[in-house]
Amino acid sequence: GMGGALLGVGLLFALYTLLRHGLRRVPLPCARPELRGRTAIVTGGSGGIGAATALELARCGARVVLATRSAARGEATASRIRRETGNQEVRFMQLDLASLRSVRAFASTFLRQEPHLHLLINNAGVNTGGTTEDGFSLPFQVNHLGHFLLTQLLLERLQSCGPSRVVIVASSAHCAGCLHLDTLGKPPPGPLSAFQDYCNSKLANMLHARELATRLQDTQVTCYAVHPGFVNTGLFRHLPLWLKLLFIPLAWLFFSDVAEGAQTTLHCATHEDLERFSGRYFTDCRLQEPWPPARDDRLARALWEASERMVGLGEPPESPSL
């Protein structure tokens, strides 16, 4: 049926991408940018690519805020990074992107406690199904809506500290995404609901970066979408067993380690002279054309307006006429 066909396409696509990207190792950058005096937020910074990104930013001298859900893991990672880098300016602040209330609380605490913000790394991601306390599908809210609200709440601070950057960790999985404005934020139907939802949320990430860049023209803030590569992180831990058995040997063969997975994020966060590429998509530290739906400006704008309504920003809704 439809599910099997979709799965076949998904696996073929995964193999194609693995062969295309996985066999090409990203060279580690030799020069470390000087980031002393700059403040960065990394969401999902307690593990995987987020922790690798935070570690490298701390090595460059940045003040780094790990914005993550688990206090135990967040504190442990912050102290490990302080120990490994000798940079004491690494701290944990609680953020649960599955709760818009938590996003607002994080933003107001951050703005009260931290005078500067130069880098916002929207890295956290989930690929499991489920529904949030706000009534949206889990991957759509964590991967897109929560980050959308977070970015809007921190935008003034980013602008006043410019030049500053927003890096949105998307994925080449955006190619399988499709967004229907009338069912936005609801889990898609079918046996591969969570997989489809993940792809949809990654398309939303791409469109967010594109529309954000349009709205930030003539400001000191630029933004970039990145595909981190297929990285051996915990993202795949919830796959059904038979898919794991298929994926794990491939993962050993092809997937990058997390340090390599962080390279494109770091490139877009720190590389000089990327301003003219604001809103664009990078993979393997290089500019890449995204799939056509991710270049649809009308969809990007419609998604932006819908996202504003969903998180309670923007125009107040019109009162219904009696």
Side-chain angles (χ1 to χ4, degrees):
M2 186 62 194
L6 192 66
L7 187 62
V9 169
L11 290 174
L12 277 173
F13 163 71
L15 267 173
Y16 158 75
T17 314
L18 288 170
L19 291 169
R20 184 152 165 245
H21 295 284
L23 296 175
R24 254 202 344 263
R25 286 295 188 226
V26 184
L28 295 177
C30 18
R32 284 232 161 84
E34 177 50 68
L35 298 179
R36 246 181 291 266
R38 314 214 111 217
T39 299
I41 292 173
V42 182
T43 70
S46 69
I49 300 172
T53 304
L55 176 71
E56 197 55 38
L57 293 170
R59 274 204 185 110
C60 298
R63 177 170 178 80
V64 183
V65 174
L66 304 181
T68 186
R69 192 182 49 191
S70 158
R73 288 182 61 199
E75 295 287 10
T77 305
S79 98
R80 172 175 70 85
I81 293 175
R82 289 194 297 267
R83 203 168 54 242
E84 280 186 36
T85 60
N87 178 348
Q88 295 310 300
E89 313 254 309
V90 181
R91 60 172 298 205
F92 155 77
M93 282 179 69
Q94 189 164 41
L95 168 66
D96 181 1
L97 289 154
S99 158
L100 296 177
R101 201 187 45 205
S102 170
V103 174
R104 290 179 184 279
F106 170 89
S108 71
T109 305
F110 178 89
L111 293 171
R112 199 171 60 244
Q113 295 179 357
E114 295 287 335
H116 306 292
L117 180 59
H118 306 92
L119 292 173
L120 173 59
I121 315 285
N122 289 337
N123 163 86
V126 295
N127 68 355
T128 45
T131 308
T132 66
E133 65 181 46
D134 302 293
F136 302 115
S137 92
L138 186 69
F140 189 77
Q141 180 166 336
V142 170
N143 302 351
H144 168 63
L145 273 185
H147 279 127
F148 175 85
L149 176 59
L150 180 68
T151 305
Q152 289 306 98
L153 296 176
L154 298 174
L155 211 47
E156 264 182 41
R157 182 64 51 86
L158 282 162
Q159 285 174 341
S160 67
C161 294
S164 56
R165 295 182 184 184
V166 179
V167 180
I168 298 172
V169 179
S171 166
S172 58
H174 74 269
C175 76
C178 60
L179 295 171
H180 299 291
L181 294 170
D182 47 343
T183 57
L184 213 53
K186 295 188 174 66
L192 290 171
S193 176
F195 174 71
Q196 184 61 55
D197 216 350
Y198 177 74
C199 297
N200 297 354
S201 73
K202 293 292 140 183
L203 174 57
N205 288 156
M206 300 286 290
L207 293 166
H208 179 205
R210 191 173 178 91
E211 180 69 11
L212 184 58
T214 303
R215 288 167 186 253
L216 290 174
Q217 273 165 10
D218 310 318
T219 70
Q220 288 275 288
V221 188
T222 52
C223 68
Y224 311 89
V226 305
H227 170 63
F230 282 92
V231 180
N232 226 339
T233 71
L235 193 62
F236 295 99
R237 64 184 173 268
H238 302 288
L239 286 178
L241 181 64
W242 66 272
L243 258 182
K244 271 201 185 117
L245 293 174
L246 196 68
F247 258 110
I248 285 167
L250 285 173
W252 281 109
L253 274 173
F254 295 116
F255 285 23
S256 325
D257 65 23
V258 288
E260 286 171 3
Q263 289 312 313
T264 305
T265 299
L266 291 160
H267 176 81
C268 289
T270 63
H271 206 270
E272 285 183 10
D273 302 325
L274 289 187
E275 282 73 18
R276 65 187 182 280
F277 301 121
S278 186
R280 304 284 299 276
Y281 175 54
F282 285 76
T283 175
D284 283 337
C285 299
R286 282 193 288 275
L287 202 59
Q288 173 120 354
E289 274 301 292
W291 290 66
R295 302 198 294 268
D296 181 338
D297 286 319
R298 278 173 54 196
L299 183 58
R301 185 165 179 187
L303 172 68
W304 183 283
E305 287 165 0
S307 301
E308 279 187 329
R309 282 194 303 276
M310 291 163 96
V311 301
L313 291 173
E315 298 300 303
E318 302 225 346
S319 52
S321 47
L322 296 172

